[in-house]
Amino acid sequence: MKNANGHEIIQLFESWSPKKLACMDNDPIGLAIGTLNKAVSKVLVTLDVNEQVAEEAIERGCQLIIAHHPPIFRKLSNLRTDTPAGKLYEKLIKNDIAVYAAHTNLDVAEGGVNDLLAEALQLENCQILEKTYHENLMKLAVFVPDDYAQEVRLALAKAGAGSIGNYDACSFSTNGEGRFRALEGADPFIGDIGKMEKTDEEKIEVVFTTSNKNKVLKAMLNSHPYEEPAYDLYTLAVETNEMGLGRVGTLKEPMTLERFAEHVKTQLNVPRVRVVGNINTSIKKVAVVGGDGNKYIHTAKRSGADVFVTGDIGFHIAQDAESIGLNIVDPGHHVEKVMIKGVAEKMDKLCSDAKLSVEFVQSEIDTEPFTFI
Ligand SMILES: [Zn+2]
C-alpha cells in the first residue's frame, strides 16, 4: 500500500464515473474547491456540502470531500465571507479541504445513483430509462508483413481492440501484396533505397471504441516493424457503450401501489412518500430517476413502467402524470443519499485494488431540509 494524492484518487473515481457522462448543460462537476495537489489519506463522501458537513470533514480529519451536489452551482459574483455560502467556502479553504463534485455523471455511471436506487428497490432486469451517452465503434485496417502479423494482432488485442460482447481478440485478416519504394533519408525495414519492393502482407482489421483510439493506435505503431506503417482508420455508424439516466426494472412479485409505496419507504429509509394514482393498481414494472425527475414522466410512461419513482414532483407535473395514467411515488430528492454508501464502497475497492492507502468515510450529517410531521 502506498500513500495517495488527490489526483490519484480522482483518477480512479473518473475511471468509473468520467466527466464525459454528464448530461446537463454546464453541470459544474469536478474539483470545485481547493486542490488535488496534496496527500490525501481520508475522504468524506456526502450528498451535499453544508457547514455541518465541513465541520464533520474537519473533525474526522478528511483532506477531500466527494459530493454529489456541486457546492458552487451558479457562478459566483463575489466571495464575501459574511454570507452563508461564502462562510462555507472560507471554512473549507482555511482548513485545506478540497471538494470534488460528481453530479449527473454519477447519475449515469454504472453503479451510480440510479443503479443504487434500483438496487435498493430490489428491481431486476434493469435497463436504462433514457439513453444519454454512447460511443461509436472505430475500425483500424493495418497492413503488416506476414511474419509480423501475429505480433501486431496480439498487441492490438492487448490494447483492447477486437472486444465484441463476450469475445475479445477478434480480428479479420486478408492476404495480399504490398508495394513501396523507399526514398532518400528512409531506413527501410525491407528493401533498398530507390528500388520498388513487393512483400506479402496481411491486412488486419479490428474494431474498438472511440475512447480507446489512442491506446490502440499506439499499440499498432509500437508493434509494427515498418518505419511508416500503412493503415486506415475510420468511424463506424455502429453505436456501443450506451449509458443513460434512470433505470427501469421489474419487481420479483407484483404488489399494489399502496404496498409498493410502503416498500419504497422501507427500502429508501424515508418516513413519507407522495403518491399519484389509484393505490390498488398492481405494480410490476418500475422506473426510477434519482433527484428531480419532473422532465421524465413521459419517458417513464413510454418505458411501460407501472410506477415512476422520483423526487421533487411539482403539482402540475403530478396532474400531467395522472392524465397520462402514470402512477408516481415521490420519496423526495434526498433519497440520493444512497450514493454515500455506494460511492464509499466502490472507491474503497478501486483504491485497495490500486494499492492506495486511503480511507473513505460516510457522512453522518442529515442534509434533508424537510421535516415530515
Ligand atoms: Zn440531486
Side-chain angles (χ1 to χ4, degrees), residues 290-359:
D292 166 0
N294 279 287
K295 276 195 304 200
Y296 298 99
I297 59 164
H298 295 283
T299 316
K301 180 69 189 170
R302 275 198 301 274
S303 76
D306 301 312
V307 66
F308 182 33
V309 180
T310 194
D312 289 351
I313 286 293
F315 179 78
H316 295 291
I317 300 292
Q319 285 181 323
D320 290 347
E322 206 171 27
S323 69
I324 61 172
L326 176 70
N327 302 307
I328 291 182
V329 172
D330 179 348
H333 195 128
H334 193 67
V335 293
E336 289 186 312
K337 69 188 175 204
V338 291
M339 58 71 62
I340 297 174
K341 184 165 178 271
V343 168
E345 286 177 355
K346 176 78 181 181
M347 287 306 296
D348 219 28
K349 168 131 191 17
L350 287 176
C351 286
S352 56
D353 286 354
K355 306 258 176 293
L356 286 185
S357 168
V358 48
E359 195 188 338

Coordinates of all heavy atoms in Angstrom, one line a residue, residues 290-359:
G290 N -33.2 9.2 -9.9 CA -32.8 9.9 -8.6 C -32.9 11.4 -8.8 O -32.9 12.0 -9.9
G291 N -33.1 12.1 -7.7 CA -33.2 13.5 -7.7 C -34.5 14.0 -8.2 O -35.6 13.5 -7.9
D292 N -34.5 15.0 -9.1 CA -35.7 15.6 -9.7 C -36.0 15.0 -11.0 O -35.3 15.2 -12.0 CB -35.3 17.1 -9.8 CG -36.3 17.9 -10.7 OD1 -37.3 17.3 -11.2 OD2 -36.1 19.1 -10.8
G293 N -37.1 14.3 -11.1 CA -37.4 13.6 -12.4 C -38.6 14.2 -13.1 O -39.2 13.5 -13.9
N294 N -39.0 15.4 -12.8 CA -40.1 16.0 -13.4 C -40.1 15.9 -15.0 O -41.2 15.7 -15.6 CB -40.2 17.5 -13.1 CG -40.8 17.7 -11.7 OD1 -42.0 17.6 -11.5 ND2 -40.0 18.0 -10.7
K295 N -38.9 16.0 -15.5 CA -38.8 16.0 -17.0 C -39.1 14.6 -17.6 O -39.1 14.5 -18.8 CB -37.4 16.4 -17.4 CG -37.2 17.9 -17.5 CD -35.9 18.3 -18.2 CE -34.7 17.6 -17.6 NZ -33.4 18.2 -17.9
Y296 N -39.1 13.6 -16.8 CA -39.1 12.3 -17.4 C -40.4 11.5 -17.2 O -40.4 10.3 -17.4 CB -37.9 11.5 -16.7 CG -36.6 12.1 -17.0 CD1 -36.0 12.9 -16.1 CD2 -36.0 11.9 -18.2 CE1 -34.8 13.5 -16.3 CE2 -34.8 12.6 -18.5 CZ -34.2 13.4 -17.6 OH -33.0 14.0 -17.9
I297 N -41.5 12.2 -17.0 CA -42.7 11.4 -16.8 C -43.2 10.7 -18.1 O -43.6 9.6 -18.1 CB -43.9 12.2 -16.2 CG1 -44.3 13.4 -17.1 CG2 -43.7 12.7 -14.8 CD1 -45.7 14.0 -16.7
H298 N -42.9 11.4 -19.2 CA -43.4 10.8 -20.5 C -42.4 9.6 -20.9 O -42.9 8.6 -21.4 CB -43.4 11.8 -21.6 CG -44.5 12.8 -21.3 ND1 -45.9 12.5 -21.5 CD2 -44.5 14.1 -20.8 CE1 -46.6 13.6 -21.2 NE2 -45.8 14.5 -20.7
T299 N -41.1 9.8 -20.6 CA -40.2 8.7 -20.8 C -40.6 7.5 -19.9 O -40.5 6.3 -20.4 CB -38.7 9.2 -20.4 OG1 -38.6 10.5 -20.9 CG2 -37.7 8.2 -21.0
A300 N -40.9 7.8 -18.7 CA -41.3 6.7 -17.8 C -42.5 6.0 -18.3 O -42.6 4.7 -18.3 CB -41.5 7.2 -16.4
K301 N -43.5 6.7 -18.8 CA -44.7 6.2 -19.3 C -44.4 5.3 -20.6 O -44.9 4.1 -20.7 CB -45.7 7.3 -19.7 CG -47.0 6.8 -20.3 CD -47.9 6.2 -19.3 CE -49.1 5.5 -19.9 NZ -49.8 4.7 -19.0
R302 N -43.6 5.8 -21.5 CA -43.2 5.1 -22.7 C -42.5 3.8 -22.4 O -42.5 2.8 -23.1 CB -42.3 6.0 -23.6 CG -43.1 6.9 -24.5 CD -42.2 7.4 -25.7 NE -41.0 8.1 -25.2 CZ -41.0 9.4 -24.9 NH1 -42.1 10.1 -25.0 NH2 -39.9 9.9 -24.4
S303 N -41.8 3.8 -21.3 CA -41.0 2.6 -20.9 C -41.9 1.4 -20.5 O -41.5 0.3 -20.3 CB -40.0 2.9 -19.8 OG -40.7 3.0 -18.5
G304 N -43.2 1.8 -20.3 CA -44.1 0.7 -19.9 C -44.2 0.5 -18.4 O -44.8 -0.5 -17.9
A305 N -43.5 1.4 -17.7 CA -43.5 1.2 -16.2 C -44.9 1.4 -15.6 O -45.7 2.3 -16.1 CB -42.5 2.2 -15.6
D306 N -45.2 0.6 -14.6 CA -46.4 0.8 -13.9 C -46.4 1.9 -12.9 O -47.4 2.4 -12.4 CB -46.8 -0.5 -13.1 CG -46.9 -1.7 -14.1 OD1 -47.6 -1.6 -15.1 OD2 -46.3 -2.7 -13.8
V307 N -45.2 2.3 -12.4 CA -45.0 3.4 -11.5 C -43.6 4.0 -11.7 O -42.7 3.4 -12.2 CB -45.1 2.9 -10.0 CG1 -44.0 1.9 -9.7 CG2 -45.2 4.0 -9.1
F308 N -43.6 5.3 -11.4 CA -42.3 6.1 -11.6 C -41.9 6.6 -10.2 O -42.7 7.3 -9.6 CB -42.6 7.2 -12.6 CG -41.4 8.1 -12.9 CD1 -40.1 7.6 -12.9 CD2 -41.6 9.4 -13.2 CE1 -39.0 8.4 -13.2 CE2 -40.5 10.3 -13.5 CZ -39.2 9.7 -13.5
V309 N -40.7 6.2 -9.8 CA -40.2 6.7 -8.5 C -39.2 7.8 -8.7 O -38.2 7.6 -9.4 CB -39.5 5.5 -7.7 CG1 -39.0 6.0 -6.4 CG2 -40.5 4.3 -7.6
T310 N -39.6 9.0 -8.3 CA -38.7 10.1 -8.5 C -39.0 11.2 -7.5 O -40.1 11.2 -6.9 CB -38.7 10.6 -9.9 OG1 -37.5 11.5 -10.1 CG2 -39.9 11.4 -10.2
G311 N -38.1 12.2 -7.3 CA -38.3 13.3 -6.3 C -38.8 14.6 -6.9 O -38.8 14.7 -8.2
D312 N -39.2 15.5 -6.1 CA -39.5 16.9 -6.5 C -40.6 17.0 -7.4 O -40.6 18.0 -8.2 CB -38.2 17.5 -7.1 CG -37.1 17.8 -6.0 OD1 -37.4 17.6 -4.8 OD2 -36.0 18.1 -6.4
I313 N -41.5 16.1 -7.5 CA -42.6 16.2 -8.5 C -43.5 17.4 -8.1 O -44.0 17.6 -7.0 CB -43.5 14.9 -8.5 CG1 -42.7 13.8 -9.2 CG2 -44.8 15.1 -9.2 CD1 -42.5 14.0 -10.7
G314 N -43.6 18.3 -9.1 CA -44.5 19.5 -9.0 C -45.9 19.2 -9.1 O -46.3 18.2 -9.7
F315 N -46.8 20.1 -8.7 CA -48.2 20.0 -8.7 C -48.7 19.7 -10.2 O -49.5 18.7 -10.4 CB -48.9 21.2 -8.2 CG -50.4 21.2 -8.1 CD1 -51.1 20.5 -7.2 CD2 -51.1 21.9 -9.1 CE1 -52.5 20.5 -7.2 CE2 -52.5 21.9 -9.1 CZ -53.2 21.2 -8.1
H316 N -48.3 20.5 -11.1 CA -48.8 20.4 -12.5 C -48.3 19.2 -13.2 O -49.0 18.6 -14.0 CB -48.5 21.7 -13.3 CG -49.2 22.9 -12.7 ND1 -50.6 23.0 -12.8 CD2 -48.8 23.9 -12.0 CE1 -51.0 24.1 -12.2 NE2 -49.9 24.7 -11.7
I317 N -47.1 18.8 -12.8 CA -46.5 17.6 -13.4 C -47.3 16.4 -12.9 O -47.6 15.4 -13.6 CB -45.0 17.5 -13.0 CG1 -44.2 18.6 -13.6 CG2 -44.4 16.1 -13.5 CD1 -44.1 18.7 -15.1
A318 N -47.7 16.4 -11.6 CA -48.5 15.3 -11.0 C -49.8 15.2 -11.7 O -50.3 14.1 -12.0 CB -48.7 15.6 -9.5
Q319 N -50.4 16.4 -12.1 CA -51.6 16.4 -12.8 C -51.4 15.8 -14.2 O -52.3 15.0 -14.7 CB -52.2 17.8 -13.0 CG -52.8 18.3 -11.7 CD -53.3 19.8 -11.9 OE1 -52.7 20.6 -12.6 NE2 -54.4 20.1 -11.2
D320 N -50.3 16.1 -14.9 CA -50.0 15.6 -16.2 C -49.8 14.1 -16.1 O -50.3 13.3 -16.9 CB -48.7 16.2 -16.7 CG -48.8 17.6 -17.1 OD1 -50.0 18.1 -17.2 OD2 -47.8 18.3 -17.3
A321 N -49.2 13.6 -15.0 CA -48.9 12.2 -14.8 C -50.3 11.5 -14.7 O -50.5 10.4 -15.3 CB -48.1 11.9 -13.6
E322 N -51.1 12.1 -13.9 CA -52.5 11.5 -13.7 C -53.2 11.4 -15.1 O -53.8 10.3 -15.4 CB -53.3 12.4 -12.8 CG -54.3 11.7 -12.0 CD -54.9 12.6 -10.9 OE1 -54.9 13.9 -11.1 OE2 -55.4 12.1 -9.9
S323 N -53.1 12.4 -15.9 CA -53.8 12.4 -17.1 C -53.3 11.4 -18.1 O -54.0 10.9 -19.0 CB -53.9 13.8 -17.7 OG -52.6 14.2 -18.2
I324 N -52.0 11.1 -18.0 CA -51.5 10.0 -19.0 C -51.5 8.6 -18.3 O -51.0 7.7 -18.9 CB -50.1 10.4 -19.5 CG1 -49.0 10.5 -18.3 CG2 -50.1 11.7 -20.3 CD1 -47.6 10.6 -18.8
G325 N -52.1 8.6 -17.1 CA -52.2 7.2 -16.5 C -50.9 6.7 -15.9 O -50.6 5.5 -15.9
L326 N -50.0 7.6 -15.5 CA -48.7 7.2 -14.9 C -48.8 7.3 -13.4 O -49.0 8.4 -12.9 CB -47.6 8.1 -15.4 CG -46.2 7.8 -14.8 CD1 -45.7 6.4 -15.3 CD2 -45.2 8.9 -15.2
N327 N -48.6 6.2 -12.7 CA -48.5 6.3 -11.2 C -47.2 6.8 -10.8 O -46.2 6.5 -11.4 CB -48.8 4.9 -10.6 CG -50.1 4.3 -11.1 OD1 -51.1 5.0 -10.9 ND2 -50.1 3.1 -11.7
I328 N -47.1 7.6 -9.7 CA -45.9 8.1 -9.2 C -45.8 7.8 -7.7 O -46.7 8.0 -7.0 CB -45.8 9.6 -9.5 CG1 -45.6 9.9 -11.0 CG2 -44.6 10.2 -8.7 CD1 -45.5 11.3 -11.4
V329 N -44.5 7.5 -7.3 CA -44.2 7.5 -5.9 C -43.1 8.5 -5.7 O -42.0 8.3 -6.3 CB -43.8 6.1 -5.3 CG1 -43.3 6.2 -3.9 CG2 -45.0 5.2 -5.4
D330 N -43.3 9.6 -5.0 CA -42.2 10.6 -4.8 C -41.7 10.5 -3.4 O -42.3 11.0 -2.4 CB -42.8 12.0 -5.1 CG -41.8 13.1 -4.9 OD1 -40.7 12.8 -4.3 OD2 -42.1 14.3 -5.3
P331 N -40.5 9.9 -3.2 CA -39.9 9.8 -1.9 C -39.1 11.0 -1.5 O -38.4 11.0 -0.5 CB -39.1 8.5 -2.0 CG -38.6 8.5 -3.5 CD -39.7 9.3 -4.2
G332 N -39.0 12.0 -2.4 CA -38.2 13.2 -2.1 C -36.8 13.1 -2.8 O -36.4 12.0 -3.3
H333 N -36.2 14.2 -2.9 CA -34.9 14.3 -3.6 C -33.8 13.7 -2.8 O -32.8 13.2 -3.3 CB -34.6 15.8 -3.8 CG -33.5 16.1 -4.8 ND1 -33.7 17.0 -5.9 CD2 -32.3 15.7 -4.9 CE1 -32.6 17.0 -6.6 NE2 -31.7 16.3 -6.0
H334 N -34.0 13.7 -1.5 CA -32.9 13.3 -0.6 C -32.6 11.8 -0.6 O -31.5 11.4 -0.1 CB -33.3 13.7 0.9 CG -32.2 13.6 1.8 ND1 -31.1 14.5 1.8 CD2 -32.0 12.8 2.9 CE1 -30.3 14.2 2.7 NE2 -30.8 13.1 3.4
V335 N -33.4 11.0 -1.3 CA -33.1 9.6 -1.4 C -31.8 9.3 -2.2 O -31.2 8.2 -2.1 CB -34.2 8.7 -2.1 CG1 -35.4 8.7 -1.2 CG2 -34.5 9.2 -3.5
E336 N -31.3 10.4 -2.8 CA -30.0 10.2 -3.5 C -28.9 10.0 -2.5 O -27.7 9.7 -2.8 CB -29.7 11.5 -4.3 CG -30.5 11.7 -5.5 CD -30.0 12.8 -6.4 OE1 -29.9 13.9 -5.8 OE2 -29.8 12.7 -7.6
K337 N -29.2 10.1 -1.2 CA -28.2 9.7 -0.1 C -27.7 8.3 -0.2 O -26.7 8.0 0.4 CB -28.8 10.0 1.3 CG -29.9 9.0 1.6 CD -30.6 9.3 2.9 CE -31.8 8.3 3.1 NZ -32.9 8.8 3.9
V338 N -28.4 7.5 -1.0 CA -27.8 6.1 -1.3 C -26.4 6.2 -1.8 O -25.6 5.2 -1.7 CB -28.7 5.2 -2.2 CG1 -30.0 4.9 -1.6 CG2 -28.9 5.9 -3.6
M339 N -26.1 7.3 -2.5 CA -24.7 7.4 -3.1 C -23.6 7.4 -2.0 O -22.5 7.1 -2.3 CB -24.6 8.6 -4.1 CG -24.9 10.0 -3.5 SD -23.6 10.7 -2.4 CE -22.2 10.8 -3.4
I340 N -24.0 7.8 -0.8 CA -22.9 8.0 0.2 C -22.2 6.6 0.4 O -21.0 6.5 0.3 CB -23.5 8.5 1.5 CG1 -24.0 9.9 1.3 CG2 -22.4 8.5 2.6 CD1 -24.8 10.6 2.5
K341 N -23.0 5.6 0.7 CA -22.5 4.3 1.0 C -22.0 3.7 -0.3 O -20.9 3.1 -0.4 CB -23.6 3.4 1.5 CG -23.2 2.0 1.9 CD -24.3 1.3 2.8 CE -23.9 -0.1 3.2 NZ -24.4 -1.1 2.2
G342 N -22.7 3.9 -1.4 CA -22.3 3.3 -2.7 C -21.0 3.8 -3.2 O -20.1 3.0 -3.6
V343 N -20.8 5.1 -3.1 CA -19.5 5.7 -3.6 C -18.4 5.3 -2.7 O -17.3 4.9 -3.1 CB -19.6 7.2 -3.7 CG1 -18.3 7.8 -4.0 CG2 -20.6 7.6 -4.9
A344 N -18.6 5.3 -1.4 CA -17.6 5.0 -0.4 C -17.1 3.5 -0.6 O -15.9 3.3 -0.7 CB -18.1 5.2 1.0
E345 N -18.0 2.6 -0.8 CA -17.7 1.2 -1.0 C -16.9 1.0 -2.4 O -16.0 0.3 -2.4 CB -18.9 0.3 -0.9 CG -19.4 0.2 0.5 CD -20.7 -0.6 0.7 OE1 -21.3 -1.0 -0.4 OE2 -21.1 -0.8 1.8
K346 N -17.5 1.6 -3.4 CA -16.9 1.5 -4.7 C -15.4 2.0 -4.7 O -14.5 1.4 -5.2 CB -17.7 2.2 -5.7 CG -17.1 2.2 -7.2 CD -17.4 0.9 -7.9 CE -16.8 1.0 -9.3 NZ -17.1 -0.3 -10.0
M347 N -15.2 3.2 -4.1 CA -13.9 3.8 -4.1 C -12.9 3.1 -3.2 O -11.8 3.0 -3.5 CB -14.0 5.3 -3.6 CG -14.6 6.2 -4.7 SD -13.7 6.1 -6.3 CE -12.1 6.7 -5.8
D348 N -13.5 2.5 -2.1 CA -12.7 1.7 -1.3 C -12.1 0.5 -2.1 O -10.9 0.2 -2.0 CB -13.6 1.1 -0.2 CG -13.0 1.0 1.2 OD1 -12.1 1.9 1.4 OD2 -13.3 0.2 2.0
K349 N -12.9 -0.1 -2.9 CA -12.5 -1.2 -3.7 C -11.5 -0.8 -4.7 O -10.4 -1.4 -4.9 CB -13.7 -1.9 -4.3 CG -13.4 -2.9 -5.4 CD -14.2 -4.2 -5.2 CE -13.7 -5.4 -6.0 NZ -12.5 -5.3 -6.7
L350 N -11.8 0.3 -5.5 CA -10.9 0.8 -6.5 C -9.5 1.1 -5.9 O -8.5 0.8 -6.5 CB -11.5 2.0 -7.2 CG -12.7 1.8 -8.2 CD1 -13.2 3.1 -8.7 CD2 -12.3 0.9 -9.3
C351 N -9.5 1.8 -4.8 CA -8.2 2.2 -4.2 C -7.5 1.0 -3.6 O -6.2 1.0 -3.8 CB -8.5 3.3 -3.1 SG -8.9 4.9 -3.9
S352 N -8.2 0.1 -3.0 CA -7.4 -1.1 -2.5 C -6.9 -1.9 -3.6 O -5.7 -2.4 -3.5 CB -8.1 -1.9 -1.4 OG -9.4 -2.3 -1.9
D353 N -7.6 -2.0 -4.7 CA -7.1 -2.8 -5.9 C -5.9 -2.1 -6.4 O -4.9 -2.7 -7.0 CB -8.2 -2.8 -7.0 CG -9.3 -3.8 -6.6 OD1 -9.1 -4.5 -5.6 OD2 -10.3 -3.9 -7.4
A354 N -5.8 -0.7 -6.4 CA -4.7 0.0 -6.9 C -3.6 0.2 -5.8 O -2.6 0.9 -6.0 CB -5.2 1.4 -7.4
K355 N -3.8 -0.5 -4.7 CA -2.8 -0.4 -3.6 C -2.6 1.0 -3.0 O -1.5 1.3 -2.7 CB -1.5 -1.1 -4.0 CG -1.6 -2.5 -4.6 CD -1.1 -3.5 -3.5 CE -1.3 -4.9 -4.0 NZ -2.7 -5.4 -4.2
L356 N -3.6 1.8 -3.1 CA -3.5 3.1 -2.5 C -4.1 3.1 -1.1 O -5.2 2.6 -0.8 CB -4.4 4.1 -3.3 CG -3.8 4.6 -4.7 CD1 -4.7 5.6 -5.3 CD2 -2.4 5.1 -4.5
S357 N -3.4 3.7 -0.2 CA -3.8 3.7 1.2 C -4.6 4.9 1.5 O -4.1 6.0 1.7 CB -2.6 3.7 2.1 OG -2.9 4.0 3.4
V358 N -6.0 4.8 1.4 CA -6.9 5.9 1.6 C -8.2 5.4 2.2 O -8.6 4.3 1.8 CB -7.1 6.8 0.3 CG1 -7.4 5.9 -0.8 CG2 -8.2 7.8 0.5
E359 N -8.7 6.1 3.2 CA -9.9 5.7 3.8 C -11.1 6.5 3.4 O -11.0 7.8 3.3 CB -9.7 5.9 5.3 CG -10.7 5.1 6.2 CD -10.6 5.5 7.7 OE1 -9.5 5.9 8.1 OE2 -11.6 5.3 8.4

